[in-house]
Amino acid sequence: MSLSGGLPGMRRAAAVVTCIAFLLAANWGAAGEEQPWTERLELSGFLETLQSMRLREPHDAVTSRARLRLDLGADLGPVYGFVSADAEKNWKLSSETGVEAREAWLEHDGDGWDVRAGRQIVIWGKADGVQITDIVSPPDYTESVTRDLDEIRMPVDAVKFRLLGKWVDTELIWIPVFKAAVLPTGDNPWAVARVVPENVRVSSAAPREPATTLENSEIALKLSAYLPGWDAAASIFHTWDDHPAMHRDVLDDEDGMHVALEPRHHRLTVFGLECSRPWSDFVFRGEAAYFRGRYFEPASLFENPARKNALKWLAGADWTPGNDWMVTAQLVGEHMFAHEGRLLQQANSYLATLHVSKKLLRQTLTLSNMLYYDLDHGDFFDRIKAEYAVTDALTLSVGADVFGGDRAGSYGGYRDNTQVWVKVKYSF
């Protein structure tokens, strides 16, 4: 049964916003007789600009943008509504310039339960700067990993129902509209160029995405337990892979070798576990996701991807020794079952992260360093940042995004994009 007949993205967004506006208006009158409307609205947001300079020649800007975000919340008694929108001017990536409705949802809190419907961001998991089970909201890698996770997660059109118990919360999410991950392409400095042998032509069709039908819906269930000294959760997510598998047709004709790529999104079921336990100055965290039916790319341009099962896991610890120091260390691993030597990814791969921060000057200045180190290729991404709160509303940040190591690695390939940057943010 078709739900919407595959409406284009902009029309779907408009439909969601229109429905929410209608419902808000319907509830407005009921609640408006008791309280002035000005006291039931809350407007907040920020205006920020980030400018960078590449440390290697030609020393141009890798990132150059300004963004205005407006968040509007409306308390209508039994219903709470929220709308968020971004207006961005991007001098480096013209496709990012424009106005976009980010979130638009309605929420009702009952006695021991709540429900939220509309465009929203869903955050799962306990990892720091790494996504293991945190895959309900697809990622936007337009600027690779240099954006914070809060900026990388994209909202989804969903209905989320939670049953809130004393020890256990139950969360059920229904996502009727598929949304793919965003990857850098074209002349984006974060786009990864495919290595193509000489005399081989490569073409790519438009990605084949699932139609908006009931049977193509995504559904997630999560149980979260809050026990004395322990937090634990188990989840299952029947979804579509946000990243397409690049299927190939190889043709050898009189004009030479031709590889026709057909990106397809496939069904995927993810089983998740997560836990955390505080002890003394430490918090120990663990997280794992078992991916059933994920496609992995081959090393050769002329072969097709393979469907495998995989386990991704994380073990980490937070240490707060006092005096405003904070240290977080994590080890991330991934194992592919029934691995084939022809595949691009190894059977086992490992990543280590180390996050160190220190607050100074009555906690107005925060110095931090977040390091991602690929243990297989020896490449790394290091974000060094100093953030100073000039006032409660105005924040000045300076930093450096340093990429190094083997160019074959996922971080080393961006060595030429190592940049220093400055960001000014005014919140209201």
Side-chain angles (χ1 to χ4, degrees):
M1 179 178 69
S2 176
L3 293 179
S4 62
L7 288 171
M10 290 301 294
R11 292 179 60 191
R12 288 199 298 267
V16 171
V17 172
T18 301
C19 289
I20 289 178
F22 175 78
L23 292 172
L24 280 171
N27 283 277
W28 191 270
E33 297 177 357
E34 303 173 355
Q35 191 176 23
W37 66 271
T38 52
E39 297 181 7
R40 289 182 281 117
L41 295 178
E42 183 178 2
L43 179 65
S44 60
F46 62 80
L47 176 63
E48 70 173 18
T49 181
L50 191 153
Q51 307 295 325
S52 79
M53 184 185 73
R54 194 191 311 261
L55 290 185
R56 293 172 180 255
E57 292 184 350
H59 304 299
D60 58 338
V62 181
T63 305
S64 178
R65 56 179 157 85
R67 177 185 301 160
L68 170 66
R69 175 169 298 173
L70 295 176
D71 297 330
L72 177 63
D75 184 359
L76 303 175
V79 177
Y80 182 81
F82 179 80
V83 177
S84 177
D86 283 349
E88 178 170 329
K89 172 62 179 177
N90 197 308
W91 291 273
K92 192 65 181 180
L93 305 171
S94 58
S95 61
E96 295 296 293
T97 296
V99 179
E100 179 183 25
R102 184 169 170 81
E103 290 188 84
W105 46 260
L106 285 175
E107 183 175 273
H108 174 74
D109 295 334
D111 183 13
W113 61 276
D114 61 37
V115 60
R116 178 181 294 183
R119 182 158 296 181
Q120 56 191 289
I121 294 174
V122 179
I123 302 174
W124 279 10
K126 298 184 180 298
D128 177 27
V130 181
Q131 294 173 291
I132 307 294
T133 61
D134 184 20
I135 56 174
V136 179
S137 287
D140 180 352
Y141 288 130
T142 299
E143 293 177 342
S144 186
V145 294
T146 59
R147 291 180 175 178
D148 295 333
L149 269 185
D150 289 342
E151 299 177 279
I152 288 177
R153 295 188 191 94
M154 293 189 294
V156 290
D157 297 327
V159 178
K160 182 173 72 174
F161 172 79
R162 293 193 306 163
L163 192 60
L164 307 173
K166 181 178 180 181
W167 302 104
V168 177
D169 291 347
T170 304
E171 181 177 339
L172 180 64
I173 303 173
W174 176 55
I175 306 174
V177 181
F178 171 75
K179 192 168 190 175
V182 175
L183 301 175
T185 58
D187 59 355
N188 186 323
W190 301 102
V192 178
R194 181 183 295 275
V195 178
V196 178
E198 290 186 7
N199 304 320
V200 175
R201 292 174 294 127
V202 177
S203 62
S204 181
R208 186 192 295 182
E209 298 184 355
T212 304
T213 61
L214 182 61
E215 58 268 26
N216 286 340
S217 296
E218 300 170 85
I219 190 164
L221 174 65
K222 182 176 182 180
L223 300 177
S224 302
Y226 306 99
L227 308 173
W230 281 93
D231 286 349
S235 61
I236 179 171
F237 185 24
H238 188 53
T239 181
W240 293 87
D241 198 332
D242 296 330
H243 301 272
M246 306 299 286
H247 293 267
R248 289 121 159 121
D249 278 331
V250 181
L251 306 174
D252 191 3
D253 53 29
E254 58 185 11
D255 295 328
M257 192 77 76
H258 177 211
V259 179
L261 301 176
E262 185 185 20
R264 300 181 203 164
H265 294 272
H266 292 279
R267 267 295 190 189
L268 183 66
T269 302
V270 184
F271 301 88
L273 288 174
E274 53 190 271
C275 65
S276 65
R277 176 177 173 77
W279 178 77
S280 186
D281 297 331
F282 298 88
V283 176
F284 298 97
R285 293 178 284 107
E287 193 172 338
Y290 177 77
F291 297 84
R292 192 175 70 180
R294 190 173 207 173
Y295 279 79
F296 289 86
E297 292 298 313
S300 170
L301 177 64
F302 307 107
E303 298 186 22
N304 273 300
R307 186 174 186 268
K308 302 289 180 182
N309 300 329
L311 177 67
K312 191 172 184 180
W313 56 268
L314 173 144
D318 304 329
W319 181 36
T320 50
N323 199 24
D324 291 323
W325 281 94
M326 177 76 181
V327 180
T328 298
Q330 301 177 131
L331 179 64
V332 182
E334 184 167 2
H335 174 73
M336 185 193 310
F337 296 91
H339 179 263
E340 299 176 37
R342 69 179 185 88
L343 297 178
L344 187 62
Q345 183 167 318
Q346 301 175 13
N348 295 286
S349 56
Y350 300 96
L351 171 74
T353 74
L354 179 64
H355 186 196
V356 180
S357 67
K358 164 71 174 174
K359 292 183 182 296
L360 301 165
L361 303 179
R362 297 182 180 179
Q363 299 188 335
T364 57
L365 174 64
T366 302
L367 305 178
S368 64
N369 186 89
M370 180 69 180
L371 172 68
Y372 297 81
Y373 186 77
D374 187 323
L375 297 174
D376 303 305
H377 294 93
D379 58 323
F380 65 88
F381 165 48
D382 194 11
R383 164 157 278 202
I384 306 161
K385 183 169 70 174
E387 186 175 271
Y388 179 61
V390 181
T391 66
D392 290 341
L394 183 62
T395 304
L396 173 65
S397 304
V398 296
D401 296 333
V402 182
F403 295 89
D406 190 343
R407 288 186 180 274
S410 55
Y411 301 122
Y414 291 127
R415 284 171 56 178
D416 293 339
N417 285 0
T418 291
Q419 60 178 343
V420 292
W421 52 265
V422 58
K423 182 168 77 173
V424 180
K425 182 175 182 178
Y426 178 78
S427 303
F428 52 90

